[in-house]
């Protein structure tokens, strides 16, 4: 887990399924005390000091741990544009499928 030294924000490694890549971000509890209810827009989470490439969406909140923000973006998202790139999508799906052994 990496950390943003300036604000004490921690970032998980990315993980994926066959549709999305995910990561979670842990905010200092002092910052989390001022979170608005519900899911945050990109403008809101960036204003808290969260720094990520483009395309990430705050998609879920875990009520017992509101200081942990759950993010996802579609597989194959170009981190500079936030848009899905068909070639990156193919590569990401091939990589995901390569992590499994299937029974015939």
């Amino acid at each position: 887990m990496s950390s943003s030294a300036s604000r004490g924000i921690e970032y998980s490694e990315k993980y994926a399924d066959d549709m999305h890549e995910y990561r979670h971000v842990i905010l200092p509890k002092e910052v989390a005390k001022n979170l608005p209810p519900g899911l945050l827009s990109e403008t809101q989470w960036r204003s808290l000091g969260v720094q990520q490439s483009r395309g990430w969406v705050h998609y879920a909140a875990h009520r017992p741990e509101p200081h942990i923000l759950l993010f996802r973006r579609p597989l194959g998202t170009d981190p500079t544009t936030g848009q899905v790139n068909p070639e990156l999508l193919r590569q990401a799906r091939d990589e995901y499928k390569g992590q499994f052994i299937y029974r015939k």
Side-chain angles (χ1 to χ4, degrees):
M1 182 124 17
S2 63
S3 179
S4 172
S6 64
R7 307 222 38 194
I9 297 171
E10 297 182 26
Y11 300 83
S12 74
E13 296 296 322
K14 292 183 270 187
Y15 44 100
D17 62 19
D18 63 335
M19 298 293 293
H20 294 94
E21 63 180 332
Y22 302 89
R23 80 171 338 158
H24 55 275
V25 174
I26 302 174
L27 300 174
K29 291 187 180 178
E30 315 79 70
V31 173
K33 289 178 186 175
N34 300 318
L35 287 176
L39 301 176
L40 304 178
S41 68
E42 182 173 352
T43 301
Q44 289 173 310
W45 55 259
R46 286 194 188 278
S47 73
L48 297 171
V50 175
Q51 298 177 358
Q52 305 184 94
S53 55
R54 295 179 182 247
W56 291 102
V57 174
H58 181 215
Y59 77 98
H62 185 234
R63 286 192 178 126
E65 299 177 304
H67 65 290
I68 300 176
L69 307 180
L70 304 172
F71 290 91
R72 73 177 177 195
R73 67 180 173 188
L75 275 184
T77 298
D78 181 325
T80 59
T81 66
Q83 302 298 310
V84 174
N85 175 313
E87 180 57 24
L88 292 176
L89 175 59
R90 185 193 62 72
Q91 291 173 5
R93 284 199 172 141
D94 287 349
E95 183 179 322
Y96 175 77
K97 289 177 187 174
Q99 297 175 11
F100 297 91
I101 297 172
Y102 296 99
R103 186 179 302 260
K104 292 185 179 189

